[in-house]
């Protein structure tokens, strides 16, 4: 959030209406976790790259956290924070590289250590009770010895002027420092990782006790403010178009738009022919009947399946589906825009809704060195340019669990809120080899049985993603004393927190036995069922 969305000024973005702790990212793999932990404490937090100029900020933070990072502050070309950070008059906490950056700023006292420190360490807290109480506040309520997690090679050679040590480890005499005159703190360890058991309390001490940030970041509050914000952005007549899939993100985004502007939001569901059993109908029913969303369903299955004929290369399948989707959506959007412009009731369609989440934003802004890469929304770029649409992204500041909480808040049914992700190319990438009606029939039926059994045994929420894939090979079996030669279903179920790494779910034998028996008995064309026991990496979650 640099204050602009495609040229349109951001009206009352969360950072403007909620007390905000700004995390400046120096490229640590944990930077986003600092933001996560603060939000779990109901303190709103946003991350920006360490190169952020303070003068360009569109909000006034209550405090600033400098993250860790892979560089060494004393190296040529190492990133440094805008010195204006120390003139804003707000508390600053440096974590690891951030601590070293503070020490560097106030005296260039950082050197390569003789001993690196990775992993667990014991922190001894030094209190100054009576003398300089405020510098004790960071570790208030924490016992004198605590376990922390370290990952550094550099160290402070000397304390910066007017700083006191507030914690040490056997290897780092300055594992915690605080300024005696200003609310500046630095810690060598990582409070944001779960390996630092009291880390969240330390972050809470900083955000709540030191920065005095209000703990009012809840989805209940967000929903009202966001509806107001959408209304202000779109105006009294403006219209918005957006694709929905039946997944959590697009449904929550659509419901939010419906609450904000009613029928001036137009949802479009494209049936690409590779959806799951009865999916288009179910989604239509939920979105229109239960959620009151103005929805148009386009059945384009024949077009998609026609283009997929004879194609078995996974990347080609993905491209065909992606491109055909954009073609159809764009065409529909143009026609709707013409109708809207001619209707006396409302204005033109000026906006395109996208269900972008905060992890996508973080990925595109996180600091990766001088050549920071920016990820673009490749799939909507054309639409935005050709139709002069502006992008509206109401979930842009939210993490997935916040989207779920928001969904519940908006009255979206629980089973939808907790739905596993489903890929855009749908069953086409779960049917290995060529996709056609007969293969779809087998894959749909087997998937339905697998998912129904997972739900029936109460495992659906424990598993992050599960599906049945259809393999393009035949095996021999014996059914009713007769030799059969039929296809193989591969079941896949994984557990993961971030979908970057994942492990297969350890079902018990009885469960797998039951699912296998049902699939072989009930699904024509299948004589074997196997379970995929590959983690990610090296596997991916989907099969293609
Ligand atoms: N690169 C710095 C060091 O090795 C900082 C490491 C970090 O922030 N995790 O000390």
């Amino acid at each position: 959030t640099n204050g602009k969305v495609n040229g349109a000024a951001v009206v009352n973005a969360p950072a403007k209406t909620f007390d905000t702790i700004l995390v400046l990212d120096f490229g640590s793999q944990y930077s986003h976790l600092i933001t996560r932990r603060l939000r779990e404490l109901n303190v709103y937090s946003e991350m920006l790259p360490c190169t952020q100029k303070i003068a360009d900020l569109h909000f006034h933070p209550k405090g600033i956290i400098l993250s860790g990072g892979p560089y060494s502050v004393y190296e040529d070309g190492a990133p440094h924070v805008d010195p204006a950070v120390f003139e804003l008059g707000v508390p600053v906490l440096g974590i690891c590289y951030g601590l070293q950056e503070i020490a560097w700023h106030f005296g260039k006292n950082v050197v390569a250590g003789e001993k690196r420190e990775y992993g667990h360490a014991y922190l001894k807290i030094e209190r100054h009770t009576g003398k300089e109480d405020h510098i004790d506040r960071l570790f208030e309520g924490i016992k004198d010895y605590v376990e922390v997690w370290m990952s550094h090679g550099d160290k402070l050679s000397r304390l910066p002027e007017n700083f006191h040590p507030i914690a040490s480890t056997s290897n780092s005499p300055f594992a915690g420092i605080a300024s005696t005159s200003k609310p500046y703190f630095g810690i060598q360890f990582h409070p944001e990782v779960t390996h630092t058991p009291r880390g969240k309390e330390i972050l809470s001490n900083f955000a709540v006790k030191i920065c005095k940030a209000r703990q009012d970041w809840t989805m209940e509050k967000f929903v009202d403010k966001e509806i107001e914000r959408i209304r202000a952005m779109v105006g009294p007549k403006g219209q918005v178009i957006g694709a929905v899939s039946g997944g959590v993100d697009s449904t929550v985004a659509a419901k939010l738009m419906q609450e904000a502007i009613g029928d001036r939001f137009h949802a479009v569901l494209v049936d690409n022919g590779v959806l799951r059993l009865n999916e288009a109908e179910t989604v239509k029913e939920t979105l229109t009947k239960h959620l009151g969303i103005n929805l148009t369903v386009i059945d384009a299955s024949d077009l998609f399946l026609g283009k997929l004929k004879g194609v078995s290369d996974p990347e080609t399948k993905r491209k065909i589906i992606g491109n055909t989707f954009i073609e159809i959506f764009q065409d529909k959007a143009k026609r709707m825009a013409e109708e809207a412009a001619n209707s006396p009731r409302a204005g033109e369609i000026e906006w395109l809704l996208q269900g972008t989440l905060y992890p996508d934003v973080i990925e595109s802004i996180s600091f990766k060195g001088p050549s920071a890469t920016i990820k673009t929304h490749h799939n909507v770029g054309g639409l935005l340019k050709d139709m002069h649409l502006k992008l509206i992204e109401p979930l842009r500041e939210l993490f997935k669990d916040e989207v779920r909480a928001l969904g519940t808040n908006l009255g979206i049914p629980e089973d939808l809120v907790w739905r596993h992700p489903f890929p855009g190319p749908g069953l086409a990438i779960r049917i290995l080899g060529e996709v056609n009606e007969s293969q779809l029939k087998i894959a749909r039926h087997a998937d339905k049985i697998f998912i129904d059994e997972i739900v029936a045994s109460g495992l659906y929420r424990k598993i992050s993603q599960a599906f049945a894939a259809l393999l393009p090979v035949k095996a021999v079996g014996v059914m009713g004393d007769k030799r059969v030669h039929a296809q193989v279903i591969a079941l896949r179920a994984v557990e993961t927190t971030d979908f970057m790494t994942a492990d297969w779910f350890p079902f018990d034998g009885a469960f797998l036995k039951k699912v296998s028996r049902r699939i072989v008995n009930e699904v024509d064309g299948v004589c074997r069922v196997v379970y995929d026991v590959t983690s990610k990496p090296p596997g991916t979650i989907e099969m293609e």
Side-chain angles (χ1 to χ4, degrees), residues 311-321 428 431 433 435 544:
V311 179
S312 53
D313 174 62
E315 272 310 297
T316 315
K317 286 189 206 171
R318 282 177 178 269
K319 277 196 193 111
I320 290 174
I321 293 171
I431 292 170
V435 181
E544 284 193 338

Side-chain angles (χ1 to χ4, degrees), residues 444-491:
R444 282 194 177 118
H445 194 174
D447 188 71
K448 171 95 169 83
I449 293 173
F450 185 37
I451 301 300
D452 280 354
E453 288 297 337
I454 288 176
V455 172
S457 54
L459 296 172
Y460 191 80
R461 279 218 210 166
K462 286 206 183 94
I463 295 167
S464 310
Q465 195 165 332
F467 59 89
L470 180 58
L471 305 185
V473 288
K474 282 187 170 177
V476 170
V478 51
M479 294 169 103
D481 275 343
K482 226 176 105 190
R483 177 189 189 275
V484 292
H485 195 211
Q487 271 179 278
V488 182
I489 282 286
L491 305 176

Side-chain angles (χ1 to χ4, degrees), residues 288-303:
T288 54
K289 287 229 180 90
H290 300 310
L291 300 175
I293 293 166
N294 171 15
L295 174 75
T296 306
V297 181
I298 304 174
D299 181 0
S301 7
D302 291 344
L303 181 67

Side-chain angles (χ1 to χ4, degrees), residues 322-323 326 354 374-384 391:
N323 293 341
I326 290 170
Q354 271 278 107
I374 307 290
K375 198 173 82 176
T376 50
H377 300 289
H378 49 88
N379 51 343
V380 298
L383 210 55
L384 294 174
L391 205 53

Side-chain angles (χ1 to χ4, degrees), residues 233-241 257 261 263-266 333-352 386-390 392:
M233 276 172 94
V234 175
K237 283 190 149 194
Q239 308 211 42
V240 181
I241 187 170
M257 295 310 296
I261 60 168
D263 281 358
R264 286 188 286 132
F265 169 62
H266 308 265
K334 278 193 179 135
R335 271 186 288 137
M336 280 182 155
E338 280 160 21
E339 278 166 34
N342 292 329
S343 122
R345 200 168 54 87
E348 284 179 37
I349 296 186
E350 283 180 273
W351 298 87
L352 176 70
D386 293 3
M387 292 186 57
H388 308 286
L389 290 180
K390 289 175 277 188
I392 187 162

Side-chain angles (χ1 to χ4, degrees), residues 523-535:
V523 184
D524 276 345
V526 176
C527 73
R528 280 186 195 223
V529 174
V530 298
Y531 185 47
D532 185 344
V533 288
T534 320
S535 60

Side-chain angles (χ1 to χ4, degrees), residues 220-278:
E220 238 167 329
K221 270 253 168 87
F222 173 79
V223 79
D224 295 338
K225 294 192 173 176
E226 190 59 18
I227 286 173
E228 252 174 59
R229 169 160 84 134
I230 293 168
R231 287 183 183 147
M233 276 172 94
V234 175
K237 283 190 149 194
Q239 308 211 42
V240 181
I241 187 170
V244 290
S245 66
V248 195
D249 306 343
S250 68
T251 309
V252 172
K255 181 62 187 162
L256 200 51
M257 295 310 296
Q258 190 270 336
E259 291 276 336
I261 60 168
D263 281 358
R264 286 188 286 132
F265 169 62
H266 308 265
V268 177
L269 173 71
V270 177
D271 183 348
N272 57 11
V274 286
L275 300 178
R276 286 164 292 192
L277 196 65
N278 304 326

